[in-house]
Each structure stands twice: as structure tokens, then as C-alpha cells.
């Protein structure tokens, strides 16, 4: 942490700052500049006890110097991560990845119809949840293990990879057995025991951004997974909560270039949850590709009107196909491609 003193700060204010730093058992290194004095604090990895120094009299700024997310940082590994799922499916790199499918597996017929539709439309990975309980306890709660089997069969018979949500440590083993990519949902972005458990497995993981998680916190959540040794991690912006309630969430596309400036991890975007409205999904999907996303996660359902979960934000098969055709043009304009 670097404490930058205000230009007119007094010797006494400086001494108070140093005294406070030393009381917290850090060492204070004073650097006298022409206009400003800077006090560098060293000694412990955890700089959070120093946060409050920024509000002391005479202090202009407190700037952390050591990024708390070392393994996720672009400084640590300047080469961007590319995850290889086999059979020509990758996440990261020039080729964009399309992950699509229904909110949840509902039946064998439904998930097979979804798989056929997203495959025909150009997706590489079939998504659907089976363990995620609905927000309300009386809502559809998922087909659990049966759903996982159906998802995996539907994907395999259509030449797709699978992605599903691990909602608790309890379900991790069974998800590992069936899924090619695990997903950690927005509500688990700060579930540190689950993040740590996911760090122990050797299977690609898409970590969704929590709806009230700052990017710095998001990168630290990612660091929990990386610190366990699981480096096949994908970040997914899916909208945050703001004062705006005209849409389900506010899709924070700033996050895409902002994350890519700080991390080598692939960044994908989920405009389905990000907007909650299928009419807004296409425009925001195109914007996501334009601003540098490495892929998209899209909800697509064979019959959105009758979907058990998230129907209003799910694309019908023809809408999905039409959108991918548009996305190819946007991708080409930013020197990316969709195969
Ligand atoms: C999902 O993708 O099915 C999902 C539940 O998303 P989120 O965790 O972003 O709400
Ligand atoms: Mn959903």
C-alpha cells in the first residue's frame, strides 16, 4: 500500500500517518517528492488493515501496490489463457465460444430438442442446470442426477460439450462425472468453501460474476480457484444489480474490457440473465462480441413460452440461429470468428 499525502499536508499529519502504520505493525518508508510525500507500507501480505488510512487528515490517496489476485493477473502471465475441451472446442483465443441451451433440463424430449437447435444454430457447448434450485422454493427445482444424464446424452448425440451448474459441494462429484465444464452461479461467486473445492478439481470452470460483486472482488474469487491449482477458469459477466429495474439486471459490459485489461482469463458474457428479456439478448450479445468477449452464454429453449425456468429471456430456435448469423458479422469486424 502507498499512502499519498496531500500537497499541503503538514509534518504532524505525516507523523500521525506513520505512527498509525507502525501501530498496525507495518513498516513505513517515507519517500519525499518535490510536490508530494508518499509513505509506502510494507510488512504483511494483507493490506486491508491499512484501508482506513485513506481517510486520515492530510492523506490524498491510499493505493494498493500488490494486486491481491496474483495468479489471475495479466502481469503474472501476459499470455491469455486458452482452454481446450477437445474435439476442436476451445474457450479463449481468436475463436468465439457459443454456449447455449435451456435454463434447466426439463425432460428428455426438451433437452434433445434444445441440443439439436443450438447445434444447428452454431453452438459448441450445451448448457442447462439440473441442481440449481429456483429462487422460490415452490418453483421447479431441477431434475438433479436424472437431468445430468439426459443433458449429457443430448449433448453427446449432437456433438456438443456440456456445461452445468454446481450449486453445492455435495453435487460436485456427480457433476464431474457428466459435465465438460462446471459452472459456478452468480449466487456462489463469494462462496469461498465452494470456490476452494472447485480449485481442487481438474475440470474447466465458468465462474459467473456475483450480482453485487465488484471486479476486484470477482478477481479475488477467481484467485481462490486458481490458488487451488485449477487454472482452467472462465469469467462470465451476467449482469449486476443497480437502481434500474426496467431490466432484470444491468449487464455490465464495461467489465469485459476492464477484466481483459487485468487478467489473462477468458471473459464471456451472458446477456440472457443480464437483460432478462429475449428482445434485448441479441443487441447485447452483439455488443459483447464487439467489446471483446471471448464467447457468449445464451439461454435457448425449444419452446420458451412453456419453459419451466427463465422462458422470457430464452431464445427460440429460429431466434438463436438468426442471432448467430448476425454475430458472425460482428465477430469478423473485430477480427474474431465463430466456427
Ligand atoms: C444460469 O446460468 O442458469 C444461472 C442461474 O445464472 P446466474 O447464476 O448468473 O443467475
Ligand atoms: Mn437461467
Amino acid at each position: 500500500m502507498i499512502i499519498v499525502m496531500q500537497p499541503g499536508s503538514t509534518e504532524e499529519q505525516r507523523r500521525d500517518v506513520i505512527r498509525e502504520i507502525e501501530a498496525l505493525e507495518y513498516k513505513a518508508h517515507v519517500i519525499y517528492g518535490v510536490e508530494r510525500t508518499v509513505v509506502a507500507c510494507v510488512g504483511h501480505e494483507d493490506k486491508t488493515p491499512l484501508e482506513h488510512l485513506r481517510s486520515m487528515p492530510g492523506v490524498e490517496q491510499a493505493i494498493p501496490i500488490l494486486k491481491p489476485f496474483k495468479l489471475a493477473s495479466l502481469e503474472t502471465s501476459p499470455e491469455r489463457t486458452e482452454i481446450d475441451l477437445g474435439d476442436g472446442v476451445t474457450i479463449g483465443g481468436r475463436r468465439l465460444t457459443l454456449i447455449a441451451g435451456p435454463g434447466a433440463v426439463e425432460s428428455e424430449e426438451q433437452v434433445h430438442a434444445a441440443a439439436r437447435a443450438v447445434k444447428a444454430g452454431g453452438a459448441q457447448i450445451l448448457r442447462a442446470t439440473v441442481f440449481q434450485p429456483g429462487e422460490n422454493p415452490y418453483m421447479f427445482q431441477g431434475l438433479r442426477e436424472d437431468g445430468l444424464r439426459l443433458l449429457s446424452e443430448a449433448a453427446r448425440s449432437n456433438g456438443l460439450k456440456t456445461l452445468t451448474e454446481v450449486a453445492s459441494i455435495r453435487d460436485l462429484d456427480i457433476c464431474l462425472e457428466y459435465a465438460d465444464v462446471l459452472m459456478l452461479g452468480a449466487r456462489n461467486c463469494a462462496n469461498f468453501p465452494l470456490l476452494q473445492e472447485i480449485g481442487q478439481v481438474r475440470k474447466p470452470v465458468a465462474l459467473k460474476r456475483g450480482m453485487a460483486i465488484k471486479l476486484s472482488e470477482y478477481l479475488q474469487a477467481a484467485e481462490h480457484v486458481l490458488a487451488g491449482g485449477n487454472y482452467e477458469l472462465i469469467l462470465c459477466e451476467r449482469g449486476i444489480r443497480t437502481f434500474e429495474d426496467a431490466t432484470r439486471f444491468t449487464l455490465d459490459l464495461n467489465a469485459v474490457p476492464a477484466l481483459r485489461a487485468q487478467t489473462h482469463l477468458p471473459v464471456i458474457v451472458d446477456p440472457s440473465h443480464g437483460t432478462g428479456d429475449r428482445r434485448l439478448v441479441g443487441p447485447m450479445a452483439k455488443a459483447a462480441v464487439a467489446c471483446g468477449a471471448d464467447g457468449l452464454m445464451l439461454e435457448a429453449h425449444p419452446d420458451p413460452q412453456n419453459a419451466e425456468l427463465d422462458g422470457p429471456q430464452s431464445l427460440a430456435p429460429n431466434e438463436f440461429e438468426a442471432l448467430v448469423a448476425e454475430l458472425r458479422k460482428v465477430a469478423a469486424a473485430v477480427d474474431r470468428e465463430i466456427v
Side-chain angles (χ1 to χ4, degrees):
M1 184 81 86
I2 289 179
I3 311 298
V4 183
M5 301 301 294
Q6 286 165 357
S9 60
T10 65
E11 186 58 39
E12 200 188 334
Q13 288 171 332
R14 194 146 59 219
R15 265 204 306 272
D16 286 344
V17 166
I18 293 168
R19 208 175 296 125
E20 182 63 13
I21 293 167
E22 289 174 349
L24 292 164
E25 299 185 327
Y26 293 81
K27 264 188 140 66
H29 289 272
V30 187
I31 305 149
Y32 294 98
V34 182
E35 279 182 21
R36 277 179 176 73
T37 301
V38 161
V39 187
C41 321
V42 296
H44 304 284
E45 188 78 336
D46 181 14
K47 301 290 190 278
T48 41
L50 297 165
E51 296 284 0
H52 75 280
L53 284 164
R54 70 179 80 229
S55 58
M56 283 185 72
V59 172
E60 183 168 83
Q61 281 189 80
I63 308 167
I65 35 171
L66 284 175
K67 288 218 170 78
F69 45 91
K70 296 178 172 58
L71 297 169
S73 159
L74 197 54
E75 283 165 25
T76 314
S77 77
E79 214 163 289
R80 293 199 182 272
T81 293
E82 200 174 314
I83 298 166
D84 191 351
L85 297 177
D87 304 315
V89 180
T90 54
I91 308 177
R94 188 170 172 273
R95 240 189 264 158
L96 301 180
T97 312
L98 298 180
I99 304 166
V105 176
E106 297 165 20
S107 68
E108 180 167 9
E109 196 194 345
Q110 173 251 14
V111 72
H112 276 266
R116 282 193 300 275
V118 303
K119 176 68 181 187
Q124 294 85 41
I125 302 174
L126 178 65
R127 63 137 291 148
T129 63
V130 297
F131 285 114
Q132 185 218 28
E135 271 156 5
N136 182 295
Y138 309 115
M139 277 165 74
F140 181 67
Q141 300 289 302
L143 292 188
R144 310 186 60 80
E145 194 170 340
D146 288 341
L148 214 42
R149 215 184 43 251
L150 296 175
L151 175 69
S152 145
E153 284 164 8
R156 194 158 358 99
S157 56
N158 286 282
L160 293 160
K161 300 288 176 187
T162 54
L163 173 145
T164 200
E165 175 171 358
V166 181
S168 96
I169 294 174
R170 190 185 55 201
D171 307 323
L172 181 55
D173 285 341
I174 188 79
C175 290
L176 281 170
E177 212 175 293
Y178 286 101
D180 297 304
V181 182
L182 304 175
M183 179 180 105
L184 246 63
R187 291 153 192 84
N188 274 315
C189 188
N191 181 342
F192 301 121
L194 184 56
L195 290 169
Q196 285 167 354
E197 207 64 37
I198 290 284
Q200 297 305 315
V201 307
R202 297 296 171 263
K203 175 89 73 170
V205 181
L207 172 62
K208 291 188 119 180
R209 179 184 181 185
M211 55 190 87
I213 294 283
K214 297 197 287 183
L215 295 183
S216 60
E217 295 164 332
Y218 189 24
L219 287 165
Q220 290 179 77
E223 192 76 12
H224 271 282
V225 177
L226 299 172
N230 188 356
Y231 302 124
E232 298 195 303
L233 186 60
I234 303 127
L235 301 178
C236 180
E237 164 59 38
R238 49 78 72 207
I240 54 173
R241 279 245 201 274
T242 65
F243 59 84
E244 183 57 75
D245 61 2
T247 50
R248 186 178 179 190
F249 293 98
T250 297
L251 187 65
D252 178 16
L253 286 185
N254 290 353
V256 177
L259 287 169
R260 285 175 57 86
Q262 297 183 73
T263 182
H264 52 86
L265 297 170
V267 180
I268 66 170
V269 171
D270 170 358
S272 304
H273 290 85
T275 62
D277 181 341
R278 88 167 60 81
R279 295 164 301 183
L280 307 182
V281 168
M284 296 316 287
K286 288 190 264 183
V289 169
C291 73
D294 294 302
L296 294 166
M297 190 185 302
L298 297 161
E299 283 190 333
H301 193 286
D303 181 12
Q305 270 69 32
N306 292 300
E308 288 279 6
L309 202 69
D310 291 345
Q313 67 193 32
S314 298
L315 299 172
N318 62 324
E319 292 169 328
F320 178 70
E321 198 174 332
L323 173 58
V324 177
E326 293 281 298
L327 291 172
R328 285 185 208 283
K329 294 187 248 173
V330 181
V334 293
D335 199 26
R336 305 293 287 265
E337 68 173 338
I338 295 172
V339 289

